[in-house]
Amino acid sequence: MSEKRITILGIESSCDDTSAAVIQNELILSNVVANQKVHEEFGGVVPELASRAHQQNIIPVVDLAIKRAGIDRTDIDAVAFTRGPGLLGSLLVGTSFAKGFSLSLDIPLIEVNHLQGHVLALFIRENGIEYNPPKFPFLCLLVSGGNSQIILVRDYLNMEVIGQTIDDAAGEAFDKCAKVMGLPYPGGPHVDRLAKEGDPNRFEFSRPKIPGLDYSFSGLKTNFLYFLRDQIKENENFVEENKADLCASLQHTIIEILLSKLKRAAKETGIKEITIAGGVSANSGLRNALKNNAAKYGWNLIIPKFEYTMDNAAMIAISGYYKYLKQEFTAQDTVPFARTQL
Amino acid sequence: MFSRKVTSLSELQGVAKELISEFQEERVFAFYGKMGAGKTTFIQSVCRALGSGDNVTSPTFALINEYNTADMESIFHFDFYRIKELEEAFDLGYEDYIYSGSYCLIEWPEMIDPLLPDTIVEVKIEVQEDESRIITAEKKH
């Protein structure tokens, strides 16, 4: 039986980057994130100090996403956009654009929750790459600069946050500790690189004692700062002389914190289908630790392609597709929301 | 001048209440303190004191978090830590929030110093040698 292909344009503008993507059923056709190259192809330049950057990016980015997908805009069945959470001003650009697009082509408008998008990114299919989406129910560890959450996913559109940070995100702990060691921002990738040459058990840092499945990284950050402050008093070259061991020990602690709650969630729910999302999923130490635990506890571990773990519109487009199938459309009078909710 | 010494986390809630009642008319509070001084932690207490039950987390990545009080009044929690240029503050539309009349609690205000409104409450958190904190607050015109 031949099935009609559903083509969705996705738009993401919740924080720093403007992105647009085109998806046909689960198959990704294009995924464009605003950068210098986008503007070159569009024939413009990125101003150094782009005021209201999203407004300047959105048209070139959508235009390029449609071109790269090899479709005509009249082929698009619906437009999906990030309604929140995020920065209101940024969200408003994507929301307004999507509304205009929907009105002008007379196609449905679909709102997507940014966090739901991160989870549904796991279902993106790519040409020529083996398709290996998770099976319901599964647990998703969402870790990024702004999020640290454990999400219980029962179905495409039925998910629940069962644990989350009560202060800082894991990515922030990486970045801020990296900063005090003199590493550039964002520091996560630098810590990861240096950690490979260091001893993860050389230094002990404090671990939070938070009940249930919630996370806390603020105490670790403070402990790390004061540890360095005290050591530098004794030896001003302490950081330089011990950088690899500091990075390895810090990374080890953050990963242990992340995994302790994930293991607990797996045990409490009895779910062995485990996935990861968000930018921190690029961390090689975290990937290895997840693989070791998967082998030990019999988890089926799914790690998505890095491109789709960052903020991107492909995840919004795929979410839009699943909502389209359920005919969950959005009215023109919808306004963005800034606060986290799922 | 408003000045309190805090030796344990359990004292923060009381200090937050006193801060709010001391500056009842003010809405924009700028929190100064080094990394790890406890700005986010103190703001958690301030939000509780303002009657919000929301999960108050660091906005370093998100730049602005919005919470609600029990009466559904907005509280805006800013963090300008990763701002490099003043233009970026304009890009977020910071003025729509700061001049909204809602409570605005700002971390790393020094990054946008020229853009701060004329009247603010400067809250300083200073870490002492014994890791206790001195919290001072003063209205600036």
Side-chain angles (χ1 to χ4, degrees):
Chain A
M1 193 179 87
S2 87
E3 200 185 335
K4 178 179 163 15
R5 285 172 189 271
I6 309 296
T7 307
I8 308 280
L9 169 69
I11 291 168
E12 151 69 29
S13 67
S14 64
C15 198
D16 294 353
D17 299 324
T18 321
S19 174
V22 176
I23 214 158
Q24 216 162 53
N25 293 2
E26 296 100 345
L27 182 71
I28 185 82
L29 299 184
S30 66
N31 185 33
V32 178
V33 180
N35 58 28
Q36 186 72 43
K37 203 158 175 293
V38 169
H39 284 263
E40 278 168 15
E41 288 192 37
F42 191 70
V45 288
V46 183
E48 281 296 323
L49 297 171
S51 180
R52 317 282 176 191
H54 286 291
Q55 278 180 28
Q56 305 198 353
N57 288 334
I58 190 124
I59 289 174
V61 162
V62 169
D63 186 69
L64 192 59
I66 291 173
K67 267 189 209 147
R68 282 198 189 157
I71 59 160
D72 188 84
R73 64 191 155 80
T74 54
D75 299 329
I76 297 169
D77 293 293
V79 54
F81 67 99
T82 308
R83 186 177 168 200
L87 283 168
L88 276 182
S90 302
L91 290 166
L92 211 52
V93 175
T95 305
S96 309
F97 184 90
K99 283 181 183 177
F101 198 89
S102 143
L103 274 179
S104 67
L105 292 174
D106 195 22
I107 53 172
L109 181 67
I110 302 172
E111 67 181 68
V112 174
N113 180 304
H114 180 83
L115 302 171
Q116 183 181 42
H118 271 300
V119 174
L120 293 179
L122 291 155
F123 293 90
I124 294 169
R125 184 198 292 271
E126 264 189 291
N127 254 335
I129 293 179
E130 192 192 345
Y131 188 54
N132 181 29
K135 289 167 201 72
F136 301 112
F138 64 88
L139 295 176
C140 180
L141 176 66
L142 172 57
V143 270
S144 67
N147 294 296
S148 299
Q149 301 185 320
I150 301 174
I151 303 171
L152 168 58
V153 188
R154 298 186 187 91
D155 200 353
Y156 296 110
L157 305 178
N158 179 356
M159 47 188 87
E160 181 189 348
V161 176
I162 56 174
Q164 63 186 318
T165 183
I166 60 162
D167 41 53
D168 296 358
E172 186 176 344
F174 271 110
D175 290 340
K176 288 197 169 160
C177 293
K179 164 119 191 205
V180 295
M181 290 188 282
L183 298 170
Y185 183 91
H190 298 280
V191 173
D192 192 20
R193 178 174 47 80
L194 287 162
K196 287 179 183 139
E197 284 136 40
D199 174 2
N201 298 310
R202 168 93 186 280
F203 304 110
E204 274 283 325
F205 300 115
S206 70
R207 283 149 210 234
K209 293 172 188 69
I210 305 291
L213 297 172
D214 284 342
Y215 286 116
S216 165
F217 289 98
S218 172
L220 168 63
K221 175 187 73 186
T222 306
N223 176 241
F224 188 81
L225 292 176
Y226 291 147
F227 173 75
L228 287 193
R229 182 192 67 176
D230 294 344
Q231 295 298 319
I232 290 166
K233 270 185 204 156
E234 314 267 311
N235 168 13
E236 60 178 35
N237 297 319
F238 180 78
V239 172
E240 275 315 309
E241 288 167 12
N242 298 285
K243 212 176 243 178
D245 288 347
L246 284 168
C247 287
S249 301
L250 172 69
Q251 176 159 313
H252 177 70
T253 310
I254 294 174
I255 291 168
E256 290 259 291
I257 295 169
L258 286 172
L259 280 171
S260 68
K261 295 296 172 87
L262 182 63
K263 281 190 271 192
R264 187 165 165 179
K267 199 173 162 201
E268 283 180 6
T269 59
I271 293 171
K272 294 191 167 188
E273 190 86 356
I274 308 288
T275 65
I276 184 165
V280 179
S281 67
N283 182 279
S284 64
L286 179 58
R287 286 177 175 232
N288 288 336
L290 281 166
K291 283 176 195 157
N292 292 341
N293 278 280
K296 189 169 164 191
Y297 297 105
W299 294 348
N300 180 36
L301 175 68
I302 294 169
I303 299 182
K305 198 174 160 192
F306 182 61
E307 180 184 355
Y308 304 123
T309 67
M310 308 287 285
D311 287 356
N312 67 88
M315 69 187 204
I316 304 305
I318 185 104
S319 307
Y321 167 67
Y322 291 115
K323 287 193 142 184
Y324 186 95
L325 294 181
K326 295 254 177 191
Q327 303 281 295
E328 284 190 23
F329 301 139
T330 303
Q332 278 283 338
D333 60 359
T334 301
V335 292
F337 61 81
R339 295 184 53 214
T340 310
Q341 45 190 260
L342 196 66
Chain B
M1 188 165 80
F2 183 93
S3 178
R4 302 286 185 278
K5 183 180 164 80
V6 178
T7 51
S8 89
L9 278 174
S10 60
E11 295 164 34
L12 274 183
Q13 195 57 59
V15 177
K17 279 195 184 134
E18 288 168 15
L19 178 77
I20 293 304
S21 68
E22 178 92 13
F23 300 98
Q24 282 180 30
E25 304 299 314
E26 303 312 316
R27 288 295 177 271
V28 182
F29 291 71
F31 293 77
Y32 296 82
K34 288 185 180 155
M35 196 191 293
K39 294 181 293 299
T40 304
T41 307
F42 186 45
I43 286 174
Q44 288 177 338
S45 295
V46 173
C47 290
R48 292 290 163 274
L50 290 171
S52 175
D54 288 342
N55 189 21
V56 174
T57 56
S58 167
T60 295
F61 180 77
L63 302 171
I64 305 171
N65 286 348
E66 182 183 349
Y67 316 115
N68 285 120
T69 66
D71 307 329
M72 294 311 280
E73 298 277 341
S74 290
I75 303 171
F76 297 113
H77 180 188
F78 294 74
D79 187 333
F80 291 108
Y81 174 77
R82 65 191 185 96
I83 289 264
K84 290 190 213 75
E85 304 280 349
L86 290 180
E87 296 283 333
E88 293 175 58
F90 287 114
D91 284 348
L92 340 156
Y94 88 101
E95 65 274 33
D96 295 344
Y97 299 91
I98 288 208
Y99 297 104
S100 64
S102 296
Y103 271 100
C104 290
L105 312 174
I106 307 171
E107 297 191 45
W108 299 99
E110 49 271 61
M111 309 303 274
I112 61 145
D113 189 58
L115 305 182
L116 290 171
D118 294 338
T119 306
I120 59 166
V121 179
E122 272 189 14
V123 183
K124 290 189 176 144
I125 306 177
E126 283 169 83
V127 184
Q128 309 302 301
E129 201 54 31
D130 61 0
E131 296 194 6
S132 68
R133 309 288 198 271
I134 305 275
I135 299 178
T136 57
E138 202 176 0
K139 187 169 153 182
K140 290 270 158 141
H141 299 276

